[in-house]
């Protein structure tokens, strides 16, 4: 038996082509096969079986953490549809039962780390291919309906055609990129989520300010000031990020990533600290009260965390793309 160097599958010793991935063995490989045949001639059956079993048991190469994380990102990229649907399900779970949602997320990350730890190629799953094909078909149908609706509106209102032409003539700056405009959009979206409210609940902004006002009136001035500063940071941060992303210099984009990362750490840090700390200290008790107030409108709070993570990831991808283009 021999192992394919491309996909790692075991093949018969006389096969010149891998039946799984199509890899063609070179003449050097065939020469090694001949040498192996010569070396095994004259062996007894027990010796041959021992030699064959020892050759099949190859030591598994341990990948460094950097390569494992790269494979995890590659797996997410190749199976993006599964990741997207799983993320939506986790958001629903987290909004209903936060402990269940975060536990499932940690378990999935651990499973992905275990899968990518193996020294095997990353491939797109068949389920992801089928889901992607179904979503593409649905998108094509929606696009066809939108095109028909667009043609109907244009035929009924000729002035709309001129407006569409003017919009199509607008050109984006040369330094524009999908990651940059995506980060700008998610920054504005986080600001909208922070101030949006439903009929039955207040906005996150209102909850945070009311909590800070109550602590200030209860002589908890230091903690109230920290909450005020956090509120101001979340409000001002999107404008700082957008301003820096619109600049051409790479240093500004790095600062945008740092500002977005700080907001993500702040939002995650509050949840983690409140779950681990005890109510013995005043600061720990007040932090628990703040998080319980925020999680009362869990959907908005976790949506804010999600958009903050997206902004951080997009600003980082923008920096990586800029360095590749240099």
């Amino acid at each position: 038996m021999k192992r394919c160097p491309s996909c790692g599958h075991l093949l018969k010793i006389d096969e010149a082509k891998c039946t799984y991935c199509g890899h063609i063995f070179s003449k050097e490989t065939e020469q090694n096969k001949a040498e192996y045949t010569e070396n095994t001639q004259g062996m007894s059956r027990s010796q041959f079986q021992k030699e064959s079993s020892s050759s099949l048991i190859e030591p598994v190469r341990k990948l460094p953490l950097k390569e494992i994380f790269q494979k995890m990102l590659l797996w997410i990229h190749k199976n993006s549809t599964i990741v997207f649907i799983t993320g939506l399900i986790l958001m629903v779970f987290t909004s209903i039962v936060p402990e269940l949602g975060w536990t499932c997320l940690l378990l999935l990350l651990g499973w992905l780390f275990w899968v990518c730890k193996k020294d095997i190629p990353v491939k797109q799953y068949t389920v992801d291919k089928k889901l992607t094909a179904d979503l593409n078909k649905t998108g094509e149908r929606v696009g066809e309906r939108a095109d028909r609706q667009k043609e109907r509106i244009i035929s009924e209102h000729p002035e709309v055609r001129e407006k569409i032409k003017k919009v199509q003539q607008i050109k984006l700056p040369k330094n524009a990129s999908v990651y940059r405009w995506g980060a700008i959009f998610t920054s504005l979206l986080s600001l909208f989520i922070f101030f949006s409210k439903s009929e039955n609940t207040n906005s996150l902004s209102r909850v945070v300010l009311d909590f800070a006002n109550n602590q200030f009136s209860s002589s908890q001035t230091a903690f109230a000031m920290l909450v005020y500063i956090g509120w101001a940071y979340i409000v001002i941060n999107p404008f700082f990020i957008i301003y820096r992303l619109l600049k051409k210099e790479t240093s500004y984009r790095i600062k945008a990533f740092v500002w977005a990362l700080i907001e993500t750490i702040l939002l995650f840090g509050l949840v983690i600290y409140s779950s681990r700390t005890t109510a013995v200290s005043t600061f720990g008790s007040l932090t628990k009260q703040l998080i319980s107030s925020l999680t009362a409108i869990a959907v908005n709070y976790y949506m804010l965390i999600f958009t903050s993570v997206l902004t951080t990831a997009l600003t980082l991808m923008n920096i990586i793309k800029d360095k590749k283009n240099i």
Side-chain angles (χ1 to χ4, degrees):
M1 301 291 286
K2 61 182 178 181
R3 189 179 295 274
C4 176
S6 179
C7 63
H9 279 70
L10 291 176
L11 306 167
K12 294 181 180 179
I13 195 67
D14 57 346
E15 290 187 8
K17 182 178 180 181
C18 178
T19 56
Y20 186 81
C21 68
H23 175 79
I24 300 175
F25 292 90
S26 61
K27 293 181 179 180
E28 182 181 354
T29 307
E30 297 299 325
Q31 183 179 357
N32 294 336
K33 181 190 72 173
E35 293 178 356
Y36 176 80
T37 305
E38 291 178 359
N39 293 333
T40 54
Q41 287 180 351
M43 288 185 179
S44 63
R45 184 178 182 85
S46 59
Q47 289 176 337
F48 179 77
Q49 290 178 348
K50 185 178 180 180
E51 182 71 20
S52 300
S53 60
S54 62
S55 62
L56 290 176
I57 303 174
E58 297 180 357
V60 179
R61 186 171 70 91
K62 293 184 178 179
L63 297 177
L65 284 177
K66 182 179 179 181
E67 292 188 18
I68 295 175
F69 290 140
Q70 289 176 349
K71 287 185 66 177
M72 290 175 67
L73 293 175
L74 181 60
W75 191 97
I76 293 172
H77 174 70
K78 288 195 173 185
N79 299 277
S80 56
T81 306
I82 294 177
V83 174
F84 176 73
I85 296 175
T86 306
L88 292 178
I89 297 173
L90 283 177
M91 285 178 61
V92 175
F93 282 168
T94 307
S95 62
I96 299 173
V97 185
E99 294 81 4
L100 176 62
W102 290 111
T103 302
C104 291
L105 177 61
L106 292 175
L107 290 175
L108 287 173
L109 288 175
W111 173 82
L112 181 59
F113 182 85
W114 179 77
V115 169
C116 296
K117 191 177 180 181
K118 298 180 180 179
D119 190 13
I120 56 177
V122 177
K123 296 182 179 179
Q124 185 182 16
Y125 289 176
T126 306
V127 177
D128 188 83
K129 292 180 181 178
K130 292 181 179 179
L131 289 173
T132 304
D134 293 339
L135 289 176
N136 289 336
K137 290 180 180 178
T138 305
E140 289 175 0
R141 293 172 186 170
V142 173
E144 290 175 358
R145 292 177 184 176
D147 290 337
R148 289 196 296 267
Q149 189 72 8
K150 174 184 171 183
E151 294 298 330
R152 185 184 66 80
I153 294 174
I154 291 176
S155 61
E156 294 177 358
H157 305 279
E159 67 276 6
V160 177
R161 185 185 299 274
E162 299 298 327
K163 293 181 180 180
I164 293 175
K165 288 182 179 180
K166 290 180 180 179
V167 173
Q168 290 176 345
Q169 290 175 356
I170 298 175
K171 295 182 179 180
L172 295 175
K174 293 182 179 180
N175 59 346
S177 67
V178 176
Y179 299 118
R180 179 178 306 176
W181 291 104
I184 291 174
F185 172 75
T186 53
S187 297
L188 293 174
L189 182 61
S190 65
L191 198 63
F192 173 77
I193 292 172
F194 191 61
F195 284 100
S196 63
K197 64 177 182 179
S198 62
E199 296 180 358
N200 301 323
T201 59
N202 289 324
S203 63
L204 286 172
S205 173
R206 187 71 265 169
V207 171
V208 173
L209 286 178
D210 289 344
F211 183 82
N213 294 334
N214 293 334
Q215 300 308 317
F216 191 81
S217 60
S218 302
S219 301
Q220 298 292 342
T221 308
F223 190 82
M225 292 303 298
L226 288 176
V227 177
Y228 284 131
I229 293 171
W231 178 90
Y233 184 85
I234 294 175
V235 173
I236 299 172
N237 191 41
F239 299 102
F240 282 163
I241 292 174
I242 293 170
Y243 171 75
R244 283 165 171 77
L245 287 175
L246 292 176
K247 294 290 184 179
K248 296 182 179 180
E249 293 80 1
T250 307
S251 59
Y252 281 95
R253 297 167 194 171
I254 294 175
K255 291 178 182 178
F257 166 71
V258 172
W259 279 76
L261 182 62
I262 291 173
E263 180 180 328
T264 304
I265 293 173
L266 174 65
L267 295 174
F268 270 112
L270 281 175
V271 178
I272 296 172
Y273 180 78
S274 65
S275 62
R276 291 185 177 182
T277 188
T278 59
V280 176
S281 63
T282 304
F283 188 82
S285 176
L286 294 176
T287 305
K288 282 183 175 293
Q289 294 177 24
L290 175 61
I291 290 298
S292 62
S293 301
L294 293 175
T295 52
I297 43 179
V299 175
N300 282 5
Y301 183 65
Y302 291 117
M303 281 295 293
L304 182 64
I305 294 178
F306 180 70
T307 53
S308 179
V309 172
L310 275 181
T311 305
T312 306
L314 289 170
T315 51
L316 177 61
M317 294 301 296
N318 187 35
I319 296 172
I320 295 173
K321 183 178 180 182
D322 288 341
K323 288 185 176 180
K324 288 182 178 180
N325 293 334
I326 295 175

